[in-house]
Amino acid sequence: MKIEILGMGCAKCKDLYMAAEQAVQEVGIEAQINKVEDIKQIMQYGVMTTPALVIDGKVRAAGKVISKDEIKQML
Amino acid sequence: MLQTLADTLVYDLLGLSAQSMLGAALNFFIYDSIKIFLMLSIIIFFVSILRSYFPAERTKKLLSHRRQFFGNIAAALLGIVTPFCSCSAVPVFIGFIESGVPLGITFSFLIASPMVNEVAVIMLWGLLGWKIMLIYIISGLVIAIIAGIIMGRLRLERFVQDYVYEMKLGENEIADQSLRERMEYAANYTRQILKKVGLYVIIAIAIGGFIHGYAPEDLLVQYAGRDSILAVPAAVLIGVPLYSNAAGIMPIITVLIQKGLSLGTALAFMMAVTALSFPEMIILRNVLKTPLLVIFVVILFISIMFTGYLFNFLM
């Protein structure tokens, strides 16, 4: 599974990254978490508000920091 | 009801006199903090639900290929309801331009959105009443509309960073949310905002309470009354580095108004704090070439000063 966190490095992006990390750990699955900070790449996902969460190429949340539990449900 | 609660606490339970400075300051502090926190929690919750129906992606579609004037009005109004944080300024800007939103209309959005932000507006309402809140919202919208029209007229497209025009936005369907999910999001967001601004608000109300109780009534009349010419530009210059601290600024502005700060100067100051944010300008440098960024800042600066002088003259 591939998880991407889109955002140009703001505080909220770090929060989302941490939430995703914890969620993956608690669910106990194999997943690769990447930060995508390049604006051109971010725009390719059709996302205008950051931070955004992308799981296996699909945008699951944009413009908000969702909680660890919400991410766990998505996994 | 809240006033009775504050009165009982301070005058009856603590036994302070309503005439004493400490009593007045403490009463003011307790009353205002409870009121502001109640208002922030309740209003932000409902505003967030409303906002979840206006994601930037939808706003973009609504504004694409709009005409000047009506487009600028729509952009300024949508700036209020679209959730926006200055850290998203770059992708929002690119997304707008890419989907054919005219440059001037994009700027109307970018000005209105931070200026008429929920925390600033709620605190104005709670502290200074709905009339001043309305004056603030309406003048903020007028500035956003006029500045956007001027920038549209100037034909500044060549000063947008070239790569912006080459960007292609990927297709993306954001899943529709149920009301329950929207409410969960709103509760979450409200909690985040309260956590972020809570401490500032408490400290600011405490300082406000202190000034309220101890400083003489006409402290600022001489320096920052309505006849003082230099007060407006000074207020704007002080406001710029205080970016994104609207929550902490409002309670202090409120008491300063009671001590003689004129309304126009206060408005100019608040607008400089919310709209002329230094980090946002640095972020916008990613998409705007220097001349356009300078024009943007200068136009905002002039409009805010004009608003300040106008209300000093009128009220």
Side-chain angles (χ1 to χ4, degrees):
Chain A
M1 186 174 270
K2 207 174 142 199
I3 298 173
E4 284 149 307
I5 311 292
L6 316 183
M8 296 170 74
C10 52
K12 286 185 187 171
C13 312
K14 279 176 207 134
D15 292 344
L16 185 63
Y17 186 86
M18 266 155 53
E21 240 176 4
Q22 284 174 357
V24 166
Q25 234 168 39
E26 284 177 28
V27 176
I29 48 165
E30 283 276 315
Q32 199 189 352
I33 309 178
N34 288 325
K35 278 187 202 168
V36 179
E37 294 188 334
D38 179 55
I39 180 69
K40 287 171 197 164
Q41 271 174 287
I42 293 176
M43 300 303 291
Q44 273 164 9
Y45 287 99
V47 164
M48 283 170 64
T49 43
T50 54
L53 177 77
V54 177
I55 300 176
D56 284 334
K58 258 190 91 176
V59 179
R60 300 301 294 268
K64 56 191 177 191
V65 180
I66 57 173
S67 68
K68 180 184 75 182
D69 295 325
E70 281 174 279
I71 302 176
K72 271 159 84 175
Q73 279 174 13
M74 293 173 181
L75 303 172
Chain B
M1 198 189 80
L2 280 179
Q3 190 59 63
T4 329
L5 180 71
D7 287 349
T8 320
L9 263 173
V10 177
Y11 305 140
D12 300 341
L13 285 176
L14 292 174
L16 291 165
S17 146
Q19 268 74 46
S20 75
M21 283 179 169
L22 182 64
L26 200 62
N27 187 288
F28 179 88
F29 172 72
I30 291 176
Y31 173 73
D32 264 5
S33 357
I34 299 178
K35 182 172 74 177
I36 292 301
F37 272 98
L38 273 179
M39 288 181 80
L40 282 175
S41 329
I42 298 168
I43 303 174
I44 292 180
F45 177 74
F46 286 106
V47 168
S48 311
I49 294 181
L50 174 74
R51 280 186 159 179
S52 69
Y53 290 94
F54 291 91
E57 288 78 8
R58 177 173 294 168
T59 298
K60 174 188 79 174
K61 280 188 197 126
L62 289 172
L63 293 177
S64 137
H65 303 290
R66 286 282 164 165
R67 293 195 177 203
Q68 202 180 52
F69 193 66
F70 285 112
N72 294 88
I73 295 176
L77 290 172
L78 285 166
I80 304 179
V81 287
T82 304
F84 174 81
C85 117
S86 59
C87 49
S88 293
V90 167
V92 164
F93 183 89
I94 296 174
F96 274 33
I97 297 295
E98 192 259 359
S99 66
V101 180
L103 191 60
I105 293 178
T106 304
F107 275 111
S108 284
F109 177 87
L110 282 182
I111 296 170
S113 206
M115 184 127 76
V116 192
N117 82 73
E118 72 274 26
V119 175
V121 168
I122 295 168
M123 296 194 67
L124 266 181
W125 185 13
L127 295 164
L128 288 167
W130 62 271
K131 280 185 200 150
I132 292 183
M133 175 192 77
L134 264 191
I135 290 178
Y136 178 84
I137 294 179
I138 293 171
S139 31
L141 288 176
V142 170
I143 288 180
I145 293 165
I146 293 179
I149 292 177
I150 294 173
M151 297 193 67
R153 283 276 166 93
L154 290 175
R155 310 227 163 273
L156 300 163
E157 282 75 6
R158 64 182 182 284
F159 293 122
V160 171
Q161 300 282 9
D162 302 318
Y163 80 91
V164 172
Y165 295 116
E166 291 150 22
M167 296 284 256
K168 263 267 145 281
L169 213 66
E171 267 307 306
N172 164 44
E173 281 299 311
I174 287 180
D176 216 30
Q177 291 173 297
S178 67
L179 185 63
R180 214 195 117 104
E181 283 170 317
R182 288 175 204 278
M183 283 170 72
E184 269 170 27
Y185 157 73
N188 220 332
Y189 181 77
T190 310
R191 222 174 303 133
Q192 279 173 29
I193 290 282
L194 286 179
K195 221 167 89 185
K196 198 174 109 192
V197 304
L199 190 63
Y200 290 112
V201 173
I202 293 282
I203 294 174
I205 294 177
I207 297 174
F210 182 79
I211 304 174
H212 178 79
Y214 287 87
E217 284 298 320
D218 52 358
L219 176 73
L220 286 170
V221 172
Q222 195 188 344
Y223 306 105
R226 45 180 290 194
D227 297 326
S228 162
I229 299 282
L230 284 177
V232 173
V236 173
L237 287 178
I238 298 171
V240 174
L242 296 174
Y243 55 86
S244 73
N245 244 326
I249 298 299
M250 298 298 175
I252 294 174
I253 284 292
T254 307
V255 266
L256 293 184
I257 289 177
Q258 291 158 3
K259 304 290 177 192
L261 176 69
S262 61
L263 183 65
T265 310
L267 275 177
F269 180 68
M270 294 185 283
M271 288 176 166
V273 171
T274 52
L276 273 173
S277 120
F278 191 61
E280 194 186 325
M281 298 306 152
I282 292 177
I283 290 173
L284 283 175
R285 182 73 184 75
N286 281 307
V287 282
L288 308 180
K289 292 180 189 164
T290 313
L292 180 49
L293 192 62
V294 172
I295 293 171
F296 176 54
V297 172
V298 168
I299 289 180
L300 257 184
F301 208 88
I302 295 173
S303 342
I304 291 175
M305 296 239 294
F306 177 79
T307 311
Y309 283 122
L310 180 73
F311 282 101
N312 276 350
F313 177 74
L314 287 177
M315 318 276 275

